[in-house]
Amino acid sequence: MNDHYEFLRPLARLMRAHQRFERAVWALNGIIISIAIYALMQSLGLTMLMKFYYQDSIILGALPAIISIIFGFAGATLLNRRRKTDIFPLLGPVLSEKVKTAYDNKDLDSLPMQSLAEEIKLSLAGTKPSQILDRRELSGRAVAAILLFAVVILLAQGGVVQTADLQSIIELKERASSIFQEEKPQPSAISNESLSGNLFGNPSLAVLNENKLPLVLSPGTGAGSIPINTRPVQRVFQQSQAGEAAAVPSELYIESLPPENREIIKRYFTILSQGD
């Protein structure tokens, strides 16, 4: 850069003021978005929930505030990239074109360039940062940040969200904790009995003609079983009356046969039954 062009000094002064202005806008945007996110978490009861469960941990208790700041300034960075940070459009339509042309050709040493530099120097010397920078942007953002901060204070002191309102969330957390901390089930009594020496359990009762007969199964030793000598026991049995058995042709079967063959087949089964 050729320092003999004196218009570069007032231009550098305005550029520095513009950079400070943009950093202030970025900071205020980050503060506004952060407070808005924190107020939303506070209205949902997340801040009280974190403080309730993590009273002994400062970091975990302040986690909603940390998350709000991170997302707030990330959003401010995205907004800042969409802004036009070039100072030349702020100088006005006529002066901005001259300053941009002179700044692009600042390394040239020619009579037209010297004349243009002198003209721009006189114009920029009387230009103040307040004339090209809209201070109302800063004041408006500052007022918005103060109002949001007041809302956060009212939410904190007014008790909009009480602990009782978080009962459903607390119960959900307790259920999740009980599921993960549940102990393994103990072996049941049935499985313990199956591992013992008694493989047959209690004696069963057999019912024969309304007489209950106790049945005892003796377990064997080793492979197979050893029979146990027992004395015969006289059991009381009632003999049923003798009845006569007769073959009865099936009507359904006869009806399914052709009509001309029904009598022949019926006579055949009758003769067969008499022969027995």
Side-chain angles (χ1 to χ4, degrees):
M1 179 184 295
N2 294 330
D3 294 337
H4 62 278
Y5 289 134
E6 296 183 358
F7 80 94
L8 295 174
R9 294 181 180 178
L11 181 61
R13 173 176 57 84
L14 295 177
M15 285 183 174
R16 289 192 298 268
H18 181 257
Q19 291 175 357
R20 291 193 298 268
F21 177 82
E22 291 297 326
R23 285 195 296 267
V25 171
W26 171 80
L28 288 174
N29 286 338
I31 293 173
I32 292 172
I33 299 175
S34 300
I35 297 176
I37 295 175
Y38 187 80
L40 179 62
M41 291 184 179
Q42 198 171 19
S43 62
L44 295 176
L46 297 178
T47 57
M48 181 176 293
L49 185 66
M50 295 299 292
K51 292 179 181 179
F52 179 77
Y53 279 107
Y54 303 103
Q55 298 177 1
D56 299 333
S57 178
I58 300 177
I59 297 177
L60 293 178
L63 190 59
I66 296 174
I67 295 176
S68 300
I69 293 173
I70 293 174
F71 281 95
F73 282 92
T77 303
L78 294 177
L79 292 177
N80 190 50
R81 291 179 179 177
R82 300 173 64 91
R83 288 175 57 89
K84 295 181 180 180
T85 58
D86 194 359
I87 194 176
F88 298 111
L90 302 177
L91 299 175
V94 179
L95 183 59
S96 62
E97 292 296 330
K98 294 182 179 180
V99 174
K100 189 174 182 180
T101 302
Y103 187 80
D104 293 339
N105 298 280
K106 58 183 177 295
D107 296 329
L108 297 178
D109 190 4
S110 60
L111 292 177
M113 183 59 194
Q114 292 177 4
S115 176
L116 181 61
E118 187 66 23
E119 180 182 356
I120 294 174
K121 172 190 173 183
L122 296 176
S123 299
L124 295 179
T127 303
K128 297 180 180 180
S130 59
Q131 295 176 349
I132 62 174
L133 301 177
D134 190 3
R135 299 289 180 178
R136 290 176 298 181
E137 291 188 33
L138 299 180
S139 60
R141 286 174 170 80
V143 171
I146 294 172
L147 293 177
L148 286 174
F149 187 72
V151 171
V152 170
I153 294 175
L154 291 176
L155 289 175
Q157 295 182 353
V160 177
V161 180
Q162 301 293 339
T163 307
D165 300 333
L166 305 175
Q167 188 65 28
S168 59
I169 302 177
I170 295 173
E171 292 178 356
L172 180 61
K173 180 180 181 297
E174 292 177 352
R175 291 180 183 178
S177 301
S178 62
I179 291 174
F180 288 107
Q181 295 177 0
E182 185 178 7
E183 296 181 357
K184 294 182 179 180
Q186 298 296 332
S188 61
I190 299 176
S191 61
N192 290 335
E193 292 179 358
S194 63
L195 297 178
S196 62
N198 185 9
L199 300 179
F200 301 94
N202 297 325
S204 299
L205 295 176
V207 179
L208 182 61
N209 197 15
E210 298 183 356
N211 293 325
K212 296 183 179 181
L213 304 178
L215 299 179
V216 179
L217 298 177
S218 302
T221 59
S225 62
I226 299 177
I228 300 175
N229 295 326
T230 58
R231 291 180 298 176
V233 179
Q234 295 296 329
R235 303 295 182 183
V236 179
F237 295 96
Q238 296 178 0
Q239 187 175 3
S240 61
Q241 298 178 359
E244 296 180 358
V248 179
S250 174
E251 294 296 330
L252 295 176
Y253 178 75
I254 292 299
E255 292 177 358
S256 63
L257 297 174
E260 62 272 11
N261 297 330
R262 289 180 182 175
E263 294 298 330
I264 298 174
I265 296 173
K266 186 176 181 180
R267 193 180 313 116
Y268 169 77
F269 281 108
T270 303
I271 296 171
L272 184 64
S273 62
Q274 291 176 356
D276 294 340

